[in-house]
Amino acid sequence: MDIDMIIKLINSVPEESLNDDETIKTLINLVAKQTGKTFTDDQLNQFVQQFREFAQEESSESTISRLLYLGGSPDQIDEIKKKFDADN
């Protein structure tokens, strides 16, 4: 699955629904299914918590720093920025 698919998936959900744990879990499961992975309930709960923490980031700089810390490459960050800019 490429970043386009993930962005489209997230954009397809109304913003107010991204506050619902079940909606977030459904999104994570859809991405997992596309990549051939499955997650336990504990793993899903951890991902939901990470998603919530990530969504609360105040600035793009702190978000980029976090992505780099989690293993993202500068090229991946540039690709994500381009995709989001193209959607706006």
Side-chain angles (χ1 to χ4, degrees):
M1 170 177 284
D2 63 14
I3 192 70
D4 282 333
M5 184 82 133
I6 295 170
I7 291 171
K8 287 177 185 175
L9 211 80
I10 292 171
N11 284 338
S12 71
V13 177
E15 190 172 327
E16 63 275 3
S17 294
L18 289 175
N19 293 324
D20 175 44
D21 286 355
E22 290 306 311
T23 302
I24 297 169
K25 286 179 184 180
T26 301
L27 282 172
I28 293 168
N29 277 327
L30 287 171
V31 171
K33 184 186 282 186
Q34 294 292 324
T35 59
K37 296 181 180 181
T38 57
F39 298 116
T40 65
D41 286 338
D42 287 340
Q43 289 172 315
L44 280 174
N45 290 333
Q46 289 175 345
F47 288 134
V48 168
Q49 180 63 31
Q50 288 175 358
F51 181 87
R52 289 192 175 284
E53 289 171 5
F54 186 77
Q56 291 177 358
E57 292 291 328
E58 295 293 326
S59 69
S60 59
E61 290 81 22
S62 60
T63 301
I64 290 170
S65 295
R66 184 165 174 91
L67 287 171
L68 288 170
Y69 173 78
L70 294 172
S73 72
D75 290 339
Q76 289 171 321
I77 303 298
D78 288 342
E79 183 181 346
I80 291 169
K81 288 182 349 188
K82 286 177 191 174
K83 300 298 182 191
F84 276 112
D85 289 343
D87 287 341
N88 290 330

